[in-house]
Amino acid sequence: MCNHKSIPSRVLSAPSAKAKFELTTIERRDLRPNDVLIDIKFSGICHSDIHSAYDEWGGGIFPMVPGHEIAGVVTAVGGDVTKFAVGVGCFVDSCGECEYCLNGEEQFCTKGVVQTYNSLDYDGNPTYGGYSQKIVVKEDFVVRIPDNLDLDAASPLLCAGITTYSPLKHWNAGPGKKVAIVGMGGLGHVAIQFAHAMGAEVTVLSRSLNKKEEALSFGADHYFATSDPATFTGLAGRFDLILNTVSANLDINAYLSMLRVDGTLVNVGAPAEQDQYSVFSLIMGRRSIAGSLVGGIRETQEMLDFAAEHGVAPKIEVIRADQVDEAYERVLRSDVRYRFVIDISTL
Ligand code: NAP
Ligand code: ZN
């Protein structure tokens, strides 16, 4: 296997945890027969980038080039030049042989999926993500972005989109189902659109009433502020499915109380500290608590095609490379509507 590296790429790199980003140059690997070279145009900022770059989950590999919401254009395939719009999400390799890989759920690969950044590839080299001009990726881990999606607004679909589409589908959000989306940030605002497009009755649970009008414009049927205790009593026993997209710890028992019998609380938000809950919150209504991790490549393509067909589009604020540190601070203050996307031409 060729491990030679000779494709320079400007990147935004965090030298250590919580350090400011620096513009540096890395070398991407030469193309192997099944690789494609992508000129990255836009890269979304996921809250996971912040958890990682601040090393809140531990095990961070520095220097770190975050970014797993990558939208760009293929410029070479195994040496041949072509041009089509593509996306790369949260992982770039898996064993391809275990039961989960064979089932199209590479995120659960038993050998350990190779994440797009903050990971080691199977040769032991650190991976560097999408805050970068170029990336070399195995073609099997690249999805096609439908023509009617704009590249900038499409980029957040590669993580925020699939992370919400996949559990909504898995837990059967659809006609006749009452679905609550907790937290209206990058993931939450896309989740509202997907759940609505799937035909569910959608309720948004946000801390304040500030985002109500926009939630309704994204397709929400109802909206409540979780800062008001009456929300929890008024909605007791209401939902079939609650999708928790919040980046911080919540009072899990209070959310479980809003599930009907057999309802499920699915966590995709990934706070560093452990959540606490009482088993009685589950026992009393045969309720379930679950989690979900992004989605496989096949389902990511399905999600993009669904978004294109149903007009699901992240609402974004495009920023320059020199605004990323400030953007992180704004995400932490929930001062983002609803996803920052880096214009990679400014690197
Ligand atoms: P985000 O844009 O920052 O949105 C998070 C939302 O959570 C905020 O907009 C806010 O919503 C709510 N929130 C924040 N702090 C809160 C607090 N202290 N108490 C209550 N609510 C709070 O983040 P994101 O990019 O959507 O990511 C959300 C989480 O999902 C992160 O933990 C991320 O790492 C995780 N994630 C997981 C996966 C996966 O595969 N499982 C994939 C991607 C991301 P309101 O203002 O509406 O209250
Ligand atoms: Zn993400």
Side-chain angles (χ1 to χ4, degrees), residues 4-5 25 39 79 101 113 127-128 135 140 156 202 240 273 288 297 329:
H4 191 249
K5 297 182 182 137
T25 299
D39 268 353
C101 285
V113 73
T127 56
Y128 298 113
I135 191 168
D140 290 349
V202 183
D240 298 286
E273 302 296 322
S288 303
I297 295 296
E329 284 162 23

Side-chain angles (χ1 to χ4, degrees), residues 10-13 20-24 43 45 131-133 318-328 341-347:
R10 301 263 288 165
V11 296
L12 276 177
S13 168
K20 289 204 183 311
F21 280 97
E22 294 173 351
L23 268 174
T24 56
S43 197
I45 295 180
Y131 299 3
S132 165
Q133 290 174 322
V318 177
I319 59 165
R320 297 185 313 268
D322 62 7
Q323 294 175 298
V324 172
D325 292 309
E326 183 194 337
Y328 272 32
V341 170
I342 307 166
D343 177 351
I344 295 298
S345 72
T346 63
L347 249 69

Side-chain angles (χ1 to χ4, degrees), residues 2-329:
C2 169
N3 284 320
H4 191 249
K5 297 182 182 137
S6 64
I7 304 173
S9 174
R10 301 263 288 165
V11 296
L12 276 177
S13 168
S16 60
K18 292 195 176 176
K20 289 204 183 311
F21 280 97
E22 294 173 351
L23 268 174
T24 56
T25 299
I26 60 165
E27 302 276 327
R28 297 292 189 181
R29 68 169 182 255
D30 285 343
L31 271 68
R32 299 168 185 165
N34 301 326
D35 280 344
V36 298
L37 174 63
I38 299 169
D39 268 353
I40 301 177
K41 303 293 183 195
F42 296 98
S43 197
I45 295 180
C46 177
H47 203 119
S48 299
D49 297 349
I50 304 176
H51 291 306
S52 303
Y54 285 19
D55 208 15
E56 291 170 0
W57 292 330
I61 302 171
F62 292 92
M64 187 185 295
V65 180
H68 57 209
E69 294 187 335
I70 299 171
V73 176
V74 167
T75 52
V77 183
D80 300 331
V81 177
T82 73
K83 267 202 189 307
F84 51 92
V86 292
V88 177
C90 295
F91 50 86
V92 288
D93 207 359
S94 71
C95 82
E97 291 169 354
C98 72
E99 63 171 307
Y100 304 111
C101 285
L102 292 175
N103 198 33
E105 295 191 308
E106 301 87 354
Q107 71 272 31
F108 304 125
C109 172
T110 56
K111 186 175 172 183
V113 73
V114 177
Q115 295 174 59
T116 305
Y117 70 87
N118 196 24
S119 190
L120 296 178
D121 69 19
Y122 292 149
D123 295 325
N125 300 308
T127 56
Y128 298 113
Y131 299 3
S132 165
Q133 290 174 322
K134 295 175 195 294
I135 191 168
V136 175
V137 182
K138 249 189 186 177
E139 63 182 346
D140 290 349
F141 291 81
V142 172
V143 288
R144 191 179 277 263
I145 295 180
D147 290 340
N148 62 337
L149 292 183
D150 293 329
L151 273 192
D152 52 1
S155 64
L157 293 173
L158 277 307
C159 175
I162 185 62
T163 300
T164 52
Y165 177 89
S166 182
L168 287 168
K169 237 195 117 185
H170 187 82
W171 276 278
N172 303 311
K177 290 291 172 67
K178 291 186 169 63
V179 174
I181 307 298
V182 187
M184 190 171 152
L187 267 56
H189 92 288
V190 180
I192 299 166
Q193 299 180 52
F194 277 128
H196 172 70
M198 289 173 185
E201 184 181 318
V202 183
T203 299
V204 173
L205 301 172
S206 179
R207 281 168 297 178
S208 70
L209 292 174
N210 294 340
K211 301 173 181 171
K212 181 169 179 178
E213 266 177 41
E214 273 179 312
L216 300 181
S217 77
F218 293 140
D221 300 287
H222 317 282
Y223 182 107
F224 296 92
T226 53
S227 53
D228 181 356
T231 292
F232 294 88
T233 46
L235 297 174
R238 170 77 67 101
F239 302 110
D240 298 286
L241 175 65
I242 299 177
L243 185 65
N244 172 18
T245 74
V246 172
S247 50
N249 296 93
L250 294 178
D251 177 355
I252 294 296
N253 290 316
Y255 287 85
L256 288 170
S257 74
M258 290 188 284
L259 288 173
R260 24 180 308 118
V261 171
D262 286 332
T264 305
L265 168 68
V266 179
N267 295 291
V268 289
E273 302 296 322
Q274 283 188 34
D275 277 325
Q276 306 281 339
Y277 63 91
S278 162
V279 289
F280 287 97
S281 302
L282 302 176
I283 290 171
M284 300 314 282
R286 199 166 54 197
R287 298 170 174 132
S288 303
I289 190 163
S292 187
L293 176 67
V294 292
I297 295 296
R298 198 191 303 151
E299 194 174 39
T300 302
Q301 187 65 61
E302 176 189 306
M303 176 276 305
L304 285 171
D305 296 340
F306 183 96
E309 191 185 330
H310 293 269
V312 171
K315 185 172 177 198
I316 59 167
E317 183 175 336
V318 177
I319 59 165
R320 297 185 313 268
D322 62 7
Q323 294 175 298
V324 172
D325 292 309
E326 183 194 337
Y328 272 32
E329 284 162 23

